[in-house]
């Protein structure tokens, strides 16, 4: 990966010195769609992510290349604007981060950059957050702005919500910016506050199950869920209690407000409220290294995202059910926003190969497609590569 970005950088931008950075992608153990509802989430940075070769420029030009994506972008700072445009494609993420540095820190210098990733793109492992975070730590290092990791995460998050226009929560950018090897991030999104909880690789491994189903509806479906949760919250505030976030309600509140709730609001709220309880129970299990109990919560979470939140699909339901039927699997669920992309299974070390064979065969038989499999490890947070 490093050789590939280095070679491409020299070909595109010449041989003067450049610097290299990395930011991880993430899986999320529990807390599906809780971040923008003020709930708790349990993401873990993985040993895959986005690599960047970069050199600052004195003028305001920004030139962006990707080893994996065809679009090459050359823009003048004055033309970056306030929002991305369709023709900018993936480059909207780094440009959004640059825009944040310009707005908040007065940055005017441009840069030349080449990106490459070893995460499947747009599949629920947060390649976009990793692009944002790697750009932010690189600009921070090049211009010595000395931002803290939390500020990096918030700047990256604003690039996605403000510039790109996805109304996502803070989980992905925090997971990437605050990732630590061997640790899961327990992030209380309402604060935000966080702590790191150890994950024991000798007791449990994370197998990614890639359905290869593109997430075409992810952006519109995602923003629709955000709006539906706002509606449900409003009903609960009026008919149960006035709490600042949907994730803070409980099942008694749902019972109190039930007659006022339309069926969609009720289902969305029920997922959020029960997922919050599952995430808390999962964090307790994780601290005890009880991967059986943690795995059960993942499988329950999948059912709730499928039935009440309606962000699963046949491919994700089949692949998680096939995994759960295997010996040595603690539990499985979709990861990321859903609507396609990847699921994760927690597996006993040594079991992954047989799981892969059985799940691969079941998936091929049903859909005629070869699913992808990848054993991911917890990985370090972002940083410069020397
Ligand atoms: C996407 C969003 C996150 C989060 C998840 C669902 O990954 O970017 O903010 O909402 O979906 O948990």
């Amino acid at each position: 990966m490093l050789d590939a970005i280095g070679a491409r950088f020299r070909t595109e931008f010449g041989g003067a010195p450049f610097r290299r950075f990395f930011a991880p992608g993430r899986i999320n153990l529990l807390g599906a769609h809780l971040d923008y509802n003020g709930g708790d989430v349990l993401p873990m940075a993985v040993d895959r992510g986005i690599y960047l070769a970069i050199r600052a420029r004195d003028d305001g030009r920004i030139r962006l290349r990707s080893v994996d994506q065809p679009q090459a972008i050359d823009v003048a700072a004055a033309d970056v604007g306030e929002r991305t445009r369709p023709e900018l494609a993936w480059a909207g993420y780094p440009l959004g981060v640059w825009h944040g540095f310009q707005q908040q820190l007065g940055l005017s210098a441009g840069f030349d950059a080449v990106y490459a990733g070893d995460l499947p793109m747009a599949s629920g492992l947060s390649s976009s957050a990793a692009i944002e975070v790697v750009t932010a730590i690189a600009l921070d290092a090049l211009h010595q702005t000395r931002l803290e990791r939390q500020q990096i995460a918030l700047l990256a998050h604003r690039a996605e919500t403000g510039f790109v226009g996805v109304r996502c929560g803070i989980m992905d950018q925090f997971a990437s910016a605050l990732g630590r090897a061997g640790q899961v991030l327990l992030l209380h999104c309402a604060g935000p506050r966080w702590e790191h909880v150890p994950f024991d690789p000798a007791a449990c491994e994370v197998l990614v199950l890639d359905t290869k189903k593109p997430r075409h509806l992810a952006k519109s479906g995602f923003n629709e869920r955000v709006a539906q949760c706002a509606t449900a919250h409003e009903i609960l505030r009026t008919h149960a209690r006035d709490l600042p976030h949907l994730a803070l309600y409980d099942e008694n509140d749902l019972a109190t407000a039930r007659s006022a709730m339309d069926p969609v609001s009720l289902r969305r709220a029920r997922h959020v409220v029960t997922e919050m309880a599952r995430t808390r129970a999962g964090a307790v299990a994780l601290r005890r290294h009880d991967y059986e109990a943690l795995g059960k919560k993942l499988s329950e979470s999948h059912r709730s995202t499928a039935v009440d939140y309606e962000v699963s699909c046949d491919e994700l339901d089949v692949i998680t059910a096939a995994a759960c039927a295997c010996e040595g699997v603690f539990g499985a669920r979709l990861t990321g926003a859903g609507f396609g992309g990847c699921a994760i299974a927690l597996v006993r070390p040594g079991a992954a190969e047989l799981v892969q064979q059985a799940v691969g065969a079941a998936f091929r038989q049903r859909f005629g497609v070869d699913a992808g499999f990848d054993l991911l490890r917890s990985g370090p947070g972002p940083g410069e590569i020397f």
Side-chain angles (χ1 to χ4, degrees), residues 20 108 186 347:
R20 298 172 310 180
S108 57
L186 170 54
V347 298

PDB file of all heavy atoms in Angstrom, residues 20 108 186 347:
ATOM      1  N   ARG A  20       3.651  10.649   4.757  1.00  0.00           N
ATOM      2  CA  ARG A  20       2.628   9.599   4.649  1.00  0.00           C
ATOM      3  C   ARG A  20       1.895   9.429   5.978  1.00  0.00           C
ATOM      4  O   ARG A  20       2.506   9.480   7.043  1.00  0.00           O
ATOM      5  CB  ARG A  20       3.278   8.274   4.255  1.00  0.00           C
ATOM      6  CG  ARG A  20       3.957   8.363   2.903  1.00  0.00           C
ATOM      7  CD  ARG A  20       4.763   7.131   2.609  1.00  0.00           C
ATOM      8  NE  ARG A  20       5.645   6.795   3.712  1.00  0.00           N
ATOM      9  CZ  ARG A  20       6.473   5.757   3.719  1.00  0.00           C
ATOM     10  NH1 ARG A  20       6.515   4.943   2.690  1.00  0.00           N
ATOM     11  NH2 ARG A  20       7.242   5.502   4.755  1.00  0.00           N
ATOM     12  N   SER A 108      -5.117  28.604   4.007  1.00  0.00           N
ATOM     13  CA  SER A 108      -5.373  28.949   2.605  1.00  0.00           C
ATOM     14  C   SER A 108      -4.521  28.103   1.663  1.00  0.00           C
ATOM     15  O   SER A 108      -4.846  27.959   0.488  1.00  0.00           O
ATOM     16  CB  SER A 108      -5.123  30.433   2.357  1.00  0.00           C
ATOM     17  OG  SER A 108      -3.794  30.744   2.735  1.00  0.00           O
ATOM     18  N   LEU A 186     -15.798   2.755  23.958  1.00  0.00           N
ATOM     19  CA  LEU A 186     -17.178   2.902  24.452  1.00  0.00           C
ATOM     20  C   LEU A 186     -17.457   4.403  24.443  1.00  0.00           C
ATOM     21  O   LEU A 186     -16.929   5.152  25.265  1.00  0.00           O
ATOM     22  CB  LEU A 186     -17.305   2.315  25.866  1.00  0.00           C
ATOM     23  CG  LEU A 186     -18.616   2.599  26.597  1.00  0.00           C
ATOM     24  CD1 LEU A 186     -19.843   2.187  25.792  1.00  0.00           C
ATOM     25  CD2 LEU A 186     -18.643   1.887  27.959  1.00  0.00           C
ATOM     26  N   VAL A 347     -16.186 -14.630  16.321  1.00  0.00           N
ATOM     27  CA  VAL A 347     -15.904 -16.072  16.229  1.00  0.00           C
ATOM     28  C   VAL A 347     -14.787 -16.465  17.191  1.00  0.00           C
ATOM     29  O   VAL A 347     -13.897 -15.670  17.489  1.00  0.00           O
ATOM     30  CB  VAL A 347     -15.525 -16.503  14.785  1.00  0.00           C
ATOM     31  CG1 VAL A 347     -16.657 -16.240  13.827  1.00  0.00           C
ATOM     32  CG2 VAL A 347     -14.277 -15.814  14.298  1.00  0.00           C
TER      33      VAL A 347
END
